[in-house]
Structure formats: C-alpha cells, structure tokens
Amino acid sequence: MPELPEVEALKDFLAEHLVGHEIVRVLPVAISVLKTYDPPVTALDGQEVTAVHRHGKFLDLTTADGLHLVTHLARAGWLHWKDRLPDGPPRPGKGPLALRVALETGEGFDLTEAGTQKRLSVYVVRDPQEVPGVARLGPDPLAADFDEARFAALLAGERRQLKGALRDQSLIAGVGNAYSDEILHAARMSPFKLAASLTPEETHTLHEALRTTLTEAVERSRGVAAGRLKAEKKSGLRVHGRTGRPCPVCGDTVREVSFSDSSLQYCPTCQTGGRPLADRRMSRLLK
C-alpha cells in the first residue's frame, strides 16, 4: 500500500505535471471506483487544475472552480503517468484499469488496481472534508506543529499495542504497515509494546524515529518518477518485507508475525531483547 512518503512524492509529481493544465475528461472504467455522484464526474470537464494536496494517504486535485478529485489508492492501487494517452476511450473489462484522467495536452494518468479486492476509491467533492476517510484523519506526523508534546498527548491512555496505534489513521495520518515496522525498528521497540506504557524518554525516542524515518523516506522519493516509486520504497526498507534476511543494524535474522490479512516484520535483537514474538497463526499451522 502506498503510504505517506510515496503519496507525498506522487503529490509533488502531479503538481509539476498537472497544475495550470485543463482536465478534458475523467473516465471511470471500473464500476466500483467512483464513490460520489454529486457533483457528477463530468463537472470536472474543462476545469483547470490549480493545486495538488495530500491528506494522509489521500491525493487531492483541486480545480479552479473549487472542485476536488480525491483519490485513495488502497492496498493494490497505483498511478501511471502517460506522456501520451491512448486514442479512444478505454474499454471496461476485467483488467486493472480503474479510472483515466485526460488533459488538453494529450497527457494524463491512469489509476489501476491489481487483484480481486477492489478498494481503490475516487471522490468528486466541493470540500475534501466531505470524504469520510479524510474527515477522520489524525494529525500529519510531518506537520510543523507535530511536536513531542502533541505526540505524547495522542498516546496518553492509548491501550493498544504500538504497531496498531501507529497504523490508526484517526490517531496519526499516513503511516501504514510498512513504515510502522520501520519506525519501531528505528526506535528499537517491540511492536507489541503498549502505547500507554511508554516513559517520557521512550516517547521522545519514538517521536524522533517517526519523524526521521518518514522524512528520510520522503527525501529518497522526492524527484523519483511515479513508475519507480514502488521500487524506491522497497530498496529503503530495513525490516519490512525482509523476513529471513539479516538485520542491517545487528545482523540477526528478521522475523515475522502473521495475521489474517497482513504481517509485521521485526528484529529480535534490536527490538525484543532477542526474544521471538509469538506467532499464533504459524503455531496453528505447525500443529
């Protein structure tokens, strides 16, 4: 799933390529992708793009008329820029193409989604806060006012484990499965540690790891073409997606805990005092 750093890079890329240009047409291809009907998607025809914003993991294209085309790429969605779009309208079917945006220059982009679980979402709204996922977002962790005191206030009384708390978009916007693993590895903390149990020193360490990890990921992604962002993300990860490989910090083997629809990765030496975490799903499989 694209997370804050990749969506930030896509925002910058689209701002460079879209602002000042006119949308000729927005063509929904997959019936499930468009989540709103008023204003209609045709209201964007002929509109000039004036800005591109990011809200957590949401992309927001703003037009001169005050309309917003808001997109959430979900787990398997992606944006593909085209210097020249194919002639003729796309054909609806079983392929990955979900929506196409065409500019007056002949350029544009396609939104695609792999797999059978179609969760990619597009909204046409007058205010981004009309999108339920945007309205419930917590603060952006890279915002200037996201200081240690604000972070500590968010975690105060939070009874969930750190992994779940960091991924909660209503608590902190933009962090997903991959970067929560990376942040906790940088902070040398167990993903199962309770958020409310952090000492002031641990809160300081986690806040610093959160800001540093995301800032460095954004800098790595900055200027990278949309088509290469996935590879750039993968190349910068230290533990996420690296099960069985050596930790780049201490050399211990990166381990995994599996859940029904996801998994987390961690380094026992760096994060859990050398103790492997219980993986109940794998334990059941081994019985």
Side-chain angles (χ1 to χ4, degrees):
M1 176 185 287
E3 299 180 34
L4 185 156
E6 296 78 52
V7 179
E8 179 74 10
L10 285 174
K11 180 208 75 174
D12 291 344
F13 179 88
L14 290 177
E16 179 182 348
H17 288 77
L18 293 180
V19 171
H21 290 290
E22 178 185 316
I23 296 174
V24 173
R25 189 167 296 175
V26 178
L27 298 165
V29 179
I31 192 170
S32 62
V33 67
L34 196 60
K35 305 302 182 184
T36 55
Y37 62 91
D38 182 22
V41 69
T42 54
L44 294 169
D45 294 355
Q47 288 295 312
E48 178 188 344
V49 179
T50 56
V52 183
H53 302 283
R54 176 184 61 79
H55 313 284
K57 301 177 191 177
F58 289 82
L59 280 169
D60 172 10
L61 276 60
T62 306
T63 70
D65 198 35
L67 294 179
H68 299 258
L69 179 68
V70 179
T71 300
H72 190 284
L73 294 171
R75 176 172 291 185
W78 198 247
L79 183 148
H80 303 268
W81 179 260
K82 307 285 185 179
D83 291 330
R84 182 70 189 180
L85 288 171
D87 294 330
R91 294 181 180 179
K94 296 183 179 180
L97 182 59
L99 181 133
R100 174 168 291 167
V101 175
L103 302 180
E104 91 286 0
T105 60
E107 301 170 298
F109 63 85
D110 288 341
L111 297 180
T112 63
E113 186 173 24
T116 58
Q117 294 186 348
K118 302 302 183 183
R119 297 177 179 174
L120 190 151
S121 302
V122 176
Y123 308 80
V124 181
V125 293
R126 296 177 181 85
D127 185 336
Q129 292 298 314
E130 296 174 29
V131 178
V134 173
R136 74 179 182 89
L137 287 175
D140 192 292
L142 293 186
D145 61 351
F146 192 83
D147 58 14
E148 189 176 326
R150 189 174 189 187
F151 183 55
L154 290 173
L155 296 182
E158 180 58 66
R159 291 295 175 185
R160 285 175 295 178
Q161 296 167 341
L162 285 176
K163 173 73 175 180
L166 288 174
R167 292 184 62 187
D168 183 351
Q169 299 303 294
S170 64
L171 191 72
I172 301 170
V175 178
N177 196 32
Y179 286 106
S180 57
D181 282 351
E182 296 299 299
I183 290 162
L184 290 168
H185 179 256
R188 304 178 70 89
M189 292 182 186
S190 168
F192 288 176
K193 186 178 182 66
L194 293 179
S197 71
L198 295 185
T199 65
E201 292 77 15
E202 289 172 328
T203 300
H204 170 79
T205 297
L206 186 58
H207 177 263
E208 186 173 281
L210 171 67
R211 298 267 292 191
T212 300
T213 299
L214 294 177
T215 298
E216 290 179 352
V218 168
E219 289 304 315
R220 287 196 306 270
S221 300
R222 198 177 301 279
V224 176
R228 302 205 316 271
L229 279 171
K230 286 185 181 180
E232 172 56 42
K233 175 182 180 179
K234 188 174 181 180
S235 70
L237 299 176
R238 294 187 171 193
V239 290
H240 184 80
R242 292 174 54 91
T243 303
R245 300 173 68 179
C247 169
V249 174
C250 72
D252 193 3
T253 300
V254 173
R255 293 179 181 257
E256 176 175 299
V257 177
S258 300
F259 303 99
S260 59
D261 62 348
S262 66
S263 63
L264 65 83
Q265 285 80 44
Y266 68 100
C267 170
T269 294
C270 291
Q271 296 176 253
T272 61
R275 298 183 303 276
L277 297 173
D279 187 345
R280 294 184 179 86
R281 184 183 182 203
M282 291 303 298
S283 297
R284 289 197 299 270
L285 291 173
L286 292 172
K287 286 181 180 179

Coordinates of all heavy atoms in Angstrom, one line a residue, residues 24-25 27 29 80-91 97 99-103 105-112:
V24 N -9.6 17.5 -19.6 CA -10.5 17.3 -20.7 C -11.7 16.3 -20.3 O -12.8 16.6 -20.5 CB -9.8 16.8 -21.9 CG1 -10.8 16.4 -23.0 CG2 -8.8 17.8 -22.4
R25 N -11.3 15.3 -19.6 CA -12.3 14.3 -19.2 C -11.7 13.4 -18.1 O -10.5 13.0 -18.1 CB -12.7 13.4 -20.4 CG -13.9 12.5 -20.2 CD -14.4 12.0 -21.5 NE -14.9 13.0 -22.3 CZ -15.4 12.9 -23.6 NH1 -15.3 11.7 -24.1 NH2 -15.8 13.9 -24.3
L27 N -12.6 9.6 -16.8 CA -13.3 8.4 -17.3 C -13.2 7.3 -16.3 O -12.2 6.6 -16.2 CB -12.7 8.0 -18.7 CG -12.8 9.0 -19.8 CD1 -11.9 8.5 -21.0 CD2 -14.2 9.1 -20.3
V29 N -13.6 3.7 -15.3 CA -13.7 2.4 -16.0 C -14.2 1.3 -15.2 O -15.1 0.5 -15.6 CB -12.3 2.0 -16.6 CG1 -12.3 0.7 -17.3 CG2 -11.7 3.2 -17.4
H80 N -0.3 5.7 -12.9 CA 0.6 5.6 -14.0 C 0.5 6.8 -14.9 O -0.6 7.0 -15.5 CB 0.3 4.3 -14.8 CG 0.3 3.1 -14.0 ND1 1.4 2.3 -13.9 CD2 -0.7 2.5 -13.3 CE1 1.1 1.2 -13.1 NE2 -0.2 1.3 -12.7
W81 N 1.5 7.6 -15.0 CA 1.6 8.8 -15.8 C 1.8 8.4 -17.3 O 2.6 7.5 -17.6 CB 2.6 9.8 -15.3 CG 2.7 11.0 -16.2 CD1 3.5 11.3 -17.2 CD2 1.7 12.1 -16.1 NE1 3.2 12.5 -17.8 CE2 2.1 13.0 -17.1 CE3 0.6 12.4 -15.3 CZ2 1.4 14.2 -17.4 CZ3 0.0 13.6 -15.5 CH2 0.4 14.5 -16.5
K82 N 1.1 9.1 -18.2 CA 1.2 8.8 -19.6 C 1.5 10.1 -20.3 O 0.8 11.1 -20.3 CB -0.1 8.2 -20.2 CG -0.6 7.0 -19.5 CD 0.1 5.8 -19.8 CE -0.5 4.5 -19.1 NZ 0.3 3.3 -19.4
D83 N 2.7 10.1 -21.0 CA 3.0 11.3 -21.8 C 2.1 11.5 -23.0 O 1.9 12.6 -23.5 CB 4.5 11.2 -22.3 CG 5.5 11.4 -21.1 OD1 5.2 12.1 -20.2 OD2 6.6 10.8 -21.2
R84 N 1.5 10.3 -23.4 CA 0.5 10.4 -24.5 C -0.5 9.3 -24.2 O -0.2 8.1 -24.2 CB 1.2 10.1 -25.8 CG 0.2 10.1 -27.0 CD -0.3 11.6 -27.2 NE -1.4 11.6 -28.2 CZ -2.1 12.7 -28.6 NH1 -1.6 13.9 -28.1 NH2 -3.0 12.7 -29.4
L85 N -1.7 9.6 -23.9 CA -2.8 8.7 -23.6 C -3.2 8.0 -24.9 O -3.1 8.6 -26.0 CB -4.0 9.3 -23.0 CG -3.8 9.8 -21.5 CD1 -5.0 10.6 -21.1 CD2 -3.7 8.6 -20.6
P86 N -3.6 6.7 -24.8 CA -4.1 6.0 -26.0 C -5.3 6.8 -26.6 O -6.1 7.4 -25.9 CB -4.5 4.7 -25.4 CG -3.8 4.5 -24.1 CD -3.7 5.9 -23.6
D87 N -5.4 6.7 -27.9 CA -6.6 7.2 -28.6 C -7.8 6.4 -28.3 O -7.8 5.2 -28.1 CB -6.3 7.3 -30.1 CG -5.2 8.2 -30.5 OD1 -5.0 9.2 -29.8 OD2 -4.5 7.9 -31.5
G88 N -8.9 7.1 -28.2 CA -10.2 6.5 -27.9 C -10.4 6.2 -26.4 O -9.5 6.1 -25.7
P89 N -11.6 6.0 -26.0 CA -11.9 5.7 -24.6 C -11.5 4.3 -24.3 O -11.5 3.4 -25.1 CB -13.5 5.8 -24.6 CG -13.9 5.5 -26.0 CD -12.9 6.0 -26.9
P90 N -11.1 4.1 -23.0 CA -10.7 2.7 -22.5 C -11.9 1.8 -22.5 O -13.1 2.3 -22.3 CB -10.2 3.0 -21.1 CG -10.8 4.2 -20.7 CD -11.0 5.1 -21.9
R91 N -11.7 0.5 -22.7 CA -12.8 -0.4 -22.7 C -13.0 -1.0 -21.3 O -12.0 -1.5 -20.7 CB -12.5 -1.6 -23.6 CG -12.4 -1.2 -25.1 CD -12.2 -2.4 -26.0 NE -12.1 -2.0 -27.4 CZ -11.9 -2.8 -28.4 NH1 -11.6 -4.1 -28.1 NH2 -11.9 -2.4 -29.6
L97 N -7.3 -1.5 -15.0 CA -7.6 -0.1 -15.2 C -8.9 0.3 -14.5 O -9.9 -0.3 -14.7 CB -7.7 0.3 -16.7 CG -8.0 1.8 -17.0 CD1 -6.9 2.7 -16.5 CD2 -8.1 2.0 -18.5
L99 N -9.6 4.1 -13.6 CA -10.0 5.4 -14.0 C -8.9 6.1 -14.8 O -7.7 5.8 -14.5 CB -10.3 6.2 -12.7 CG -10.8 7.6 -12.9 CD1 -12.0 7.9 -12.0 CD2 -9.7 8.6 -12.5
R100 N -9.3 6.9 -15.7 CA -8.4 7.7 -16.5 C -8.7 9.2 -16.5 O -9.8 9.6 -16.5 CB -8.4 7.2 -18.0 CG -7.6 8.0 -19.0 CD -7.4 7.3 -20.3 NE -6.6 6.1 -20.1 CZ -6.5 5.1 -21.1 NH1 -7.2 5.2 -22.2 NH2 -5.7 4.1 -20.9
V101 N -7.6 10.0 -16.3 CA -7.8 11.4 -16.3 C -7.0 12.0 -17.5 O -5.8 11.7 -17.6 CB -7.2 12.1 -15.0 CG1 -7.3 13.6 -15.1 CG2 -8.1 11.6 -13.8
A102 N -7.7 12.7 -18.4 CA -7.0 13.2 -19.7 C -6.9 14.7 -19.6 O -7.9 15.4 -19.2 CB -7.8 12.7 -20.9
L103 N -5.8 15.2 -20.1 CA -5.5 16.6 -20.1 C -5.6 17.1 -21.6 O -5.6 16.4 -22.5 CB -4.1 17.0 -19.6 CG -3.8 16.5 -18.1 CD1 -2.4 16.9 -17.8 CD2 -4.8 17.1 -17.2
T105 N -3.4 18.5 -23.2 CA -2.1 18.3 -23.9 C -2.0 16.9 -24.5 O -1.1 16.7 -25.2 CB -1.0 18.5 -22.9 OG1 -1.1 17.5 -21.9 CG2 -1.0 19.9 -22.3
G106 N -3.0 16.1 -24.2 CA -2.9 14.7 -24.6 C -2.2 13.8 -23.6 O -2.2 12.6 -23.7
E107 N -1.7 14.4 -22.5 CA -1.1 13.7 -21.4 C -2.2 13.3 -20.4 O -3.4 13.7 -20.6 CB -0.1 14.6 -20.7 CG 1.1 15.0 -21.5 CD 1.9 16.1 -20.8 OE1 1.4 17.1 -20.5 OE2 3.1 15.8 -20.6
G108 N -1.8 12.6 -19.4 CA -2.8 12.2 -18.4 C -2.3 11.1 -17.5 O -1.1 10.7 -17.6
F109 N -3.2 10.5 -16.7 CA -2.7 9.4 -15.9 C -3.9 8.4 -15.8 O -5.1 8.7 -15.9 CB -2.2 9.8 -14.5 CG -3.3 10.5 -13.7 CD1 -4.1 9.7 -12.9 CD2 -3.3 11.9 -13.6 CE1 -5.1 10.4 -12.0 CE2 -4.3 12.5 -12.8 CZ -5.1 11.7 -12.0
D110 N -3.5 7.1 -15.6 CA -4.4 6.0 -15.3 C -4.3 5.6 -13.8 O -3.2 5.6 -13.3 CB -4.1 4.8 -16.1 CG -4.5 5.0 -17.6 OD1 -5.3 5.9 -17.9 OD2 -3.9 4.2 -18.4
L111 N -5.4 5.3 -13.2 CA -5.4 4.7 -11.9 C -5.7 3.2 -12.1 O -6.7 2.9 -12.8 CB -6.4 5.3 -11.0 CG -6.2 6.8 -10.6 CD1 -7.4 7.2 -9.7 CD2 -4.9 7.0 -9.9
T112 N -4.9 2.3 -11.6 CA -5.1 0.9 -11.7 C -5.1 0.2 -10.4 O -4.6 0.8 -9.4 CB -3.9 0.2 -12.6 OG1 -2.7 0.4 -11.8 CG2 -3.8 0.9 -13.9

